[in-house]
Amino acid sequence: MKPATATINGSALRHNIELIKSLAPNSKICAVVKANAYGQGISRVIKSLENHVDAFGVARIKEALTIQESGYAGKILLLEGFFDREELLKTLSRRFDTVIHCVEQLELLLQAAKEWQAEQEKGFWKRKTKIYFPITVWLKIDTGMHRLGVHPEQVAEFHQKLTACPLVEKVNFVSHFSRADELDCGYTEKQIEIFEAVSQHFDVERSISASSGILYWKQAHYDWVRPGIIMHGISPHNKPITDLGFKPVMTLSSSLIAVRSHKAHEPVGYGGYWVSHRDTNIGVVAIGYGDGYPRNTPEGTPVLINGRKVPVIGRVSMDMMTVDLGPDSIDKVGDEVVLWGEDLLIEEVADAIGVINYELITKLTPRVITEYKES
C-alpha cells in the first residue's frame, strides 16, 4: 500500500518528443522544463531527454544551475532572462543562453561588457577567478501578448546594440503566442504577421511556437519550437490530445486506507456539507491538499478504483479525502486509487475541479513520492 505517488513513464516522455519532431521536422527543440519539469522531476526528465532534444528552457536561473550541475553540458535558455547583475554574471560564467525582453536587461549587459573590456585592457582579466564567455541572446519581441518583450519599432536598435556587444556571440529572435489554442479568433495570424515583418531583414534564428503553436500553427514552427506541457501528454487547453497520439507521462495514484459502511442522511468530513442520500460504502484515500490535490475539489470529481470511476465526496483535507464507493462495492483497504493517468485523463479531472491542468501538476508537493519507469 502506497501513499500519494507520481509515477513518471520515461518511454512515454520520449515517445511524445518523437511525435513533436514529426510535427515540426525542420525545427530544433528547446524542451521547456520550468516548474520542476511541470511537476515531473527536472533532474530525471533531463536525463531521459538530454540526447533527444537540442536545448532545455527554464524560467529561473536556479533551475538552469540544477540542470547544469546534474551533468548536462548542452544549451540552456533562461526564458525570462536574468533578474539582476548577479544573475547576469552567473549567466555569462555558465554560458547560459538568455532572453532579453527590456531595456533594463540590455543596460545591465552593456555595462558588464564595458567593465569587462576595461579589465581586459588593463590585463586584470587574467587574474579573474571566473571567465565570462560570449553568449547567445534571444531578443524577445512583443507581437501581441503584451506581457514581456520589446516593441516591434525597438527591434532594430536592440539588435544593433546586442550584435555590437563583445559579450554577445549570437542574437536570436523569440516571441510568444497569447491565443494559439483559439483557432478561429484571427489573433494568432496577426502575431505571425508582425513577427514575420519585424524579423525578415535580420539573419537570425527564430522561435514563437510553444505547445499550442506546435500543434496548430505549422507555418510558425520556424527554427526552434519550445514544447512544454505536451511533452507530458497533457493538453495546453484542457481538451485531451491523446487522440493526436500523445501519451500521458504521469500517473498520480494513492491507496484506500479505510473502507467504511455509511448510513443514509449522515455527513462526511469537515463541515458536514456532503450528506449521503443512501446507505453506501465510503472509501478514505491517502491524499489531500498537503500533497497538492486541491482542497476546493467539488463533489463528483472522478477518481479511478478497480477500473471504475467513483466520485469524490466531502471536503478534501490535508492528508485524506473521501469517495463514495457505492452500496454494492467490494473494494478493500490497500486498493490503488488513480487520481489521473492514462485511464483517467488529467483534462477530465481539471475540468471537474474548474482549474487548468497546468495547476494540478505543478502544485504537487515534495511529499508526493516520485517513481520512474521505462515502459
Side-chain angles (χ1 to χ4, degrees):
M1 182 165 58
K2 291 183 180 179
T5 302
T7 302
I8 310 301
N9 188 327
S11 297
L13 180 63
R14 290 189 295 277
H15 165 86
N16 293 338
I17 284 292
E18 294 306 313
L19 183 54
I20 291 165
K21 288 180 180 179
S22 73
L23 293 173
N26 300 314
S27 303
K28 288 179 277 191
I29 293 181
C30 177
V32 177
V33 291
K34 59 186 179 179
N36 195 30
Y38 291 80
Q40 318 286 306
I42 190 168
S43 296
R44 290 298 295 265
V45 168
I46 295 300
K47 291 187 182 299
S48 187
L49 293 183
E50 61 183 346
N51 297 320
H52 299 268
V53 300
D54 303 285
F56 290 103
V58 296
R60 304 284 189 269
I61 198 167
K62 183 177 180 181
E63 297 167 324
L65 294 169
T66 297
I67 294 172
Q68 197 171 76
E69 290 165 4
S70 73
Y72 176 71
K75 184 185 288 288
I76 303 171
L77 170 61
L78 299 172
L79 293 165
E80 295 177 13
F82 45 89
F83 286 17
D84 53 31
R85 175 181 168 83
E86 181 182 352
E87 288 196 0
L88 168 59
L89 298 183
K90 287 182 180 178
T91 298
L92 292 168
S93 65
R94 297 292 189 125
R95 210 165 192 172
F96 297 141
D97 285 21
T98 183
V99 161
I100 280 186
H101 60 76
C102 63
V103 67
E104 291 82 2
Q105 288 177 323
L106 176 64
E107 289 172 348
L108 275 175
L109 177 62
L110 296 180
Q111 181 61 34
K114 183 178 179 180
E115 294 171 2
W116 177 78
Q117 282 184 307
E119 291 170 355
Q120 268 200 319
E121 291 169 2
K122 295 176 181 178
F124 292 167
W125 66 275
K126 293 181 180 179
R127 298 197 294 271
K128 289 287 183 181
T129 57
K130 288 187 177 180
I131 300 174
Y132 298 145
F133 298 98
I135 59 172
T136 297
V137 168
W138 298 62
L139 179 59
K140 186 153 195 175
I141 303 168
D142 180 8
T143 58
M145 172 70 86
H146 302 318
R147 189 177 61 180
L148 295 178
V150 303
H151 297 299
E153 59 269 22
Q154 297 175 293
V155 168
E157 179 186 359
F158 270 71
H159 182 267
Q160 186 276 325
K161 290 181 178 180
L162 287 169
T163 53
C165 179
L167 290 178
V168 176
E169 181 178 54
K170 182 180 181 182
V171 179
N172 294 339
F173 284 177
V174 62
S175 190
H176 196 65
F177 288 134
S178 62
R179 301 175 67 180
D181 57 332
E182 301 175 45
L183 304 187
D184 300 318
C185 73
Y187 199 73
T188 299
E189 291 92 335
K190 291 180 180 179
Q191 287 194 256
I192 293 171
E193 183 180 347
I194 292 170
F195 196 56
E196 290 274 2
V198 168
S199 61
Q200 63 180 335
H201 301 300
F202 299 92
D203 182 19
V204 294
E205 293 185 5
R206 298 178 292 176
S207 177
I208 195 172
S209 290
S211 289
S212 289
I214 294 167
L215 294 179
Y216 306 120
W217 301 96
K218 182 178 180 180
Q219 71 271 38
H221 288 168
Y222 298 118
D223 302 286
W224 288 84
V225 293
R226 310 187 310 272
I229 200 164
I230 62 173
M231 291 193 302
H232 309 291
I234 299 174
S235 168
H237 46 62
N238 264 19
K239 296 177 182 177
I241 55 172
T242 50
D243 58 345
L244 300 178
F246 288 88
K247 296 181 178 180
V249 171
M250 175 192 285
T251 298
L252 180 66
S253 62
S254 188
S255 303
L256 287 175
I257 58 171
V259 175
R260 302 170 54 83
S261 59
H262 188 80
K263 295 294 185 181
H265 313 303
E266 289 293 322
V268 170
Y270 288 117
Y273 74 91
W274 184 87
V275 177
S276 180
H277 68 277
R278 62 178 180 177
D279 290 348
T280 189
N281 294 310
I282 299 299
V284 181
V285 185
I287 193 169
Y289 62 79
D291 304 287
Y293 197 86
R295 181 179 183 273
N296 64 342
T297 297
E299 173 190 343
T301 299
V303 303
L304 194 69
I305 301 177
N306 292 320
R308 75 189 195 287
K309 295 176 184 178
V310 300
V312 173
I313 57 171
R315 185 173 292 165
V316 174
S317 56
M318 182 178 290
D319 311 305
M320 293 171 280
M321 68 180 194
T322 50
V323 296
D324 185 358
L325 298 173
D328 301 319
S329 63
I330 57 173
D331 309 293
K332 61 186 182 302
V333 169
D335 284 352
E336 182 183 56
V337 180
V338 174
L339 289 309
W340 62 71
E342 187 174 359
D343 297 316
L344 176 59
L345 297 180
I346 193 171
E347 288 80 11
E348 181 179 352
V349 179
D351 186 62
I353 296 175
V355 298
I356 60 173
N357 42 32
Y358 292 76
E359 283 193 52
L360 293 180
I361 56 171
T362 59
K363 286 186 175 180
L364 295 180
T365 71
R367 188 169 75 170
V368 175
I369 298 167
T370 305
E371 297 180 342
Y372 295 86
K373 67 176 186 177
E374 287 298 332
S375 61

